[in-house]
Structures are given as C-alpha cells and as structure tokens.
Amino acid sequence: MERRLTRKRQEFSRAVKVAIKRRAMRATGYECECCGAIVAYVEIDHRNPDALQVEKRKLTEAEGWAICEPCHDRKTRGDVRQIAKAKRQEACYLGVRKSQARRIQNRGFEPVEKSIPSDRLARVEKPTIPDRRLMFEEK
C-alpha cells in the first residue's frame, strides 16, 4: 500500500482543544506557548505540520499548542514551505516529472503570395545628400 502525504486534515477533538486552552490559560488571558505574550485569543495549531504526518492516529494534547495570531501566521508560512518541499521530494521519489512548457501549436496559415504592382517595382532615384563634412567646414 502506497502512503501519500496528501490526505484530509486531521483535527483535534473537543476534549483535546479544551485541555490545550486550559494549559495556556492565565489570570489575565491566554499565554502564547510560542512567544510567551499574554493575549485575549489563542489559536490551536499542530506542533508539527499535519500534512507531514503519514500515519493517521488520534491526536493528543502534546501534539498541539495554543499560539497567538502573529506566531500562527509565521508558523503557517514555514509549514507551507515544508509541505511544498516534502511534496516535491515525494514526486521526485515516485518519478513524476514537471511538465515542460511548450509553445502552443496552432493549425498554421497558408502562405499568401504578395503581388506588387509593376509600377512600384521600378526604383525611384533619390536626390543625393551632400556630405556633412563639407556642410560644416569653415570657409
């Protein structure tokens, strides 16, 4: 059976979310478990990116943490890079190659013969332009 990194996101159960929030709760608010700031609202996130977990199992309190919104945004940006790298490595391992960009093929056009009127074929004599050096010489 082939294990792949792409699957449905695994969420924390309600009891685990309550335990994580209780762990971060302080008298004045919640303490961010990443930076230590006291905030009114925390987000519960996986310590390790969920998309990188291959085995499906029940999530525990130790696998999640309560972090403030700025820390969550910063961590998510890093997680996205890690997940993209893991997917590229998985594709390379499986032998999937990136498709090469090609020019769009069209049906082409039949060549058109240009007919030039015979009076335009004859060259018209152009007046000669005097040499510039002669024009600016001092006399």
Side-chain angles (χ1 to χ4, degrees):
M1 182 175 169
E2 184 179 313
R3 291 191 275 180
R4 302 196 68 205
L5 292 176
T6 55
R7 61 176 178 74
K8 188 177 176 185
R9 180 177 169 86
Q10 193 173 3
E11 296 293 334
F12 291 100
S13 67
R14 184 175 178 177
V16 172
K17 286 181 183 181
V18 169
I20 293 170
K21 280 198 165 192
R22 187 176 295 132
R23 183 177 66 204
M25 190 181 294
R26 301 294 175 259
T28 57
Y30 293 101
E31 181 181 358
C32 174
E33 294 181 335
C34 182
C35 67
I38 303 295
V39 293
Y41 175 76
V42 288
E43 296 179 2
I44 297 177
D45 192 26
H46 298 83
R47 286 190 183 270
N48 298 320
D50 182 54
L52 297 180
Q53 303 300 324
V54 179
E55 301 169 358
K56 188 174 182 177
R57 65 191 185 294
K58 190 173 181 179
L59 294 173
T60 64
E61 180 184 347
E63 294 169 345
W65 57 350
I67 57 177
C68 62
E69 199 170 341
C71 290
H72 186 252
D73 293 342
R74 196 171 344 115
K75 183 184 175 302
T76 300
R77 281 193 303 272
D79 290 351
V80 168
R81 284 193 299 270
Q82 277 185 322
I83 293 165
K85 182 177 179 180
K87 285 184 178 183
R88 286 192 306 270
Q89 288 174 339
E90 179 187 32
C92 181
Y93 176 77
L94 295 174
V96 178
R97 297 200 182 267
K98 195 175 187 181
S99 63
Q100 298 294 323
R102 288 182 277 162
R103 295 188 72 186
I104 298 174
Q105 298 292 321
N106 60 9
R107 63 178 181 84
F109 297 100
E110 296 179 14
V112 178
E113 291 191 30
K114 297 180 181 178
S115 59
I116 302 173
S118 60
D119 59 331
R120 293 188 75 196
L121 288 177
R123 281 212 135 176
V124 178
E125 293 278 331
K126 294 183 180 178
T128 57
I129 300 175
D131 191 12
R132 288 185 183 179
R133 283 177 262 150
L134 296 175
M135 290 174 55
F136 295 106
E137 284 183 1
E138 291 185 25
K139 294 183 182 182

